[in-house]
Amino acid sequence: MHYYRYEKSEVSCCYKYLLFSYNIVFWLAGAAFIAIGFWAWSEKGVLLDLTQVTRSHGFDPVWLVLVVGGVTFILGFAGCVGALRENICLLKFFTVVIGFIFLLELTAAVLAFVFKDPLKKWINDFFLTNVKAYREDIDLQNLIDSLQRLNQCCGAVNPNDWDQNMYFNCTPGNLSRERCGVPFSCCVTGPRQDSVVNTQCGYDTRAPPANWSSQIYTKGCIVALEEWLPRNIYIVAGVFIGISLLQMVGIYLARTLIGDIEKVNFNY
């Protein structure tokens, strides 16, 4: 009498719950981003008047938060449910989208390296467009102020870029108190920063005779960015590699789990 031993295929619980744990973090993070985005819009009254979204001429940072949150939430949902329910369609969707995002990141990095001058011009135009809309959106205003204070810069190329804004330009017909001035984030701060910020320190700083160097930063933010990047190239590269590795781990876990599920289904 001969005895035959049949090997029964099983879905690896290790890969299954690793993928679930991997995605639950992103699922919750995506939900938090979406909640923060809608909370920011509610604070600005956008939810009560949705036409504000189309009327804005500058970049609303909330859009970035919502898009990142939405994509992260959908991917986290597909990964979590796909792993728990052993759903091949959801797992393949997760794998394809993660792979597509990775290719987009790689393409963007290569294009940014190859087309430096067009990219620099685009960033300059983008910054000037948002200088014009500085007073239209509080989140955009805070973003520009943070950028200028952290990098000790003012405007895209120089402080005169603030002539693009209707409140800060030096035209004779401008009745704004901020005429020929710059935002407070352009002001030079001493070694000891006061807890109370002087939001009027930029008033009349560009009015003749102007002594910029002692009152405001004269370096443009595009130049500051060009100087910052070489100094922090290893940090930027490390962040890019870290994000890429996270994506590769997700794809590996999903593909391994798909293989296990297909093997079990084949045996049945």
Side-chain angles (χ1 to χ4, degrees):
M1 181 179 287
H2 299 280
Y3 295 93
Y4 295 95
R5 181 180 178 184
Y6 295 95
E7 185 175 343
K8 185 179 180 182
S9 298
E10 293 181 351
V11 174
S12 172
C13 289
C14 178
Y15 286 119
K16 179 177 179 177
Y17 290 108
L18 269 177
L19 184 61
F20 173 78
S21 302
Y22 173 92
N23 281 283
I24 193 68
V25 175
F26 292 102
W27 193 6
L28 295 175
F33 270 69
I34 292 172
I36 291 170
F38 280 110
W39 171 79
W41 266 359
S42 68
E43 289 292 302
K44 294 191 291 187
V46 174
L47 297 181
L48 298 176
D49 181 13
L50 293 177
T51 58
Q52 292 185 40
V53 176
T54 57
R55 289 203 307 265
S56 177
H57 298 99
F59 170 69
D60 187 352
V62 177
W63 273 115
L64 180 62
V65 174
L66 288 174
V67 170
V68 171
V71 173
T72 306
F73 181 85
I74 292 171
L75 284 175
F77 173 82
C80 285
V81 178
L84 286 180
R85 302 295 298 174
E86 298 177 8
N87 188 302
I88 291 179
C89 289
L90 285 176
L91 291 174
K92 285 184 176 179
F93 169 79
F94 171 82
T95 305
V96 169
V97 175
I98 288 285
F100 179 70
I101 292 173
F102 174 74
L103 288 177
L104 280 181
E105 293 169 352
L106 198 59
T107 303
V110 172
L111 290 177
F113 180 78
V114 174
F115 300 103
K116 293 179 182 178
D117 292 335
L119 177 63
K120 181 180 176 181
K121 183 180 183 306
W122 180 85
I123 294 175
N124 183 75
D125 294 342
F126 180 75
F127 196 96
L128 290 177
T129 299
N130 288 288
V131 161
K132 294 177 184 177
Y134 176 77
R135 290 296 188 202
E136 294 182 16
D137 187 285
I138 186 64
D139 292 323
L140 174 62
Q141 183 175 314
N142 290 334
L143 181 63
I144 292 176
D145 285 335
S146 299
L147 178 67
Q148 292 190 146
R149 295 193 75 178
L150 288 173
N151 293 283
Q152 298 184 348
C153 59
C154 188
V157 179
N158 58 57
N160 276 332
D161 289 332
W162 284 98
D163 269 334
Q164 302 282 335
N165 186 279
M166 61 183 294
Y167 297 100
F168 295 101
N169 68 60
C170 292
T171 55
N174 183 11
L175 301 179
S176 169
R177 179 61 189 88
E178 295 176 311
R179 178 180 178 272
C180 270
V182 291
F184 72 92
S185 53
C186 286
C187 294
V188 174
T189 55
R192 186 181 68 84
Q193 297 185 6
D194 297 328
S195 57
V196 179
V197 177
N198 179 11
T199 57
Q200 299 180 359
C201 62
Y203 285 11
D204 302 320
T205 49
R206 294 188 299 114
N211 184 16
W212 290 357
S213 59
S214 62
Q215 300 177 31
I216 60 175
Y217 300 118
T218 57
K219 180 168 56 179
C221 291
I222 304 300
V223 176
L225 178 62
E226 289 178 327
E227 293 176 353
W228 177 88
L229 193 56
R231 292 198 309 266
N232 298 274
I233 189 65
Y234 292 114
I235 296 175
V236 174
V239 170
F240 181 79
I241 292 171
I243 293 173
S244 301
L245 286 176
L246 275 176
Q247 293 169 333
M248 292 299 100
V249 168
I251 291 174
Y252 170 75
L253 292 174
R255 292 303 306 171
T256 304
L257 189 57
I258 289 171
D260 284 355
I261 297 169
E262 288 178 338
K263 189 183 295 183
V264 169
N265 292 342
F266 177 77
N267 288 337
Y268 279 109

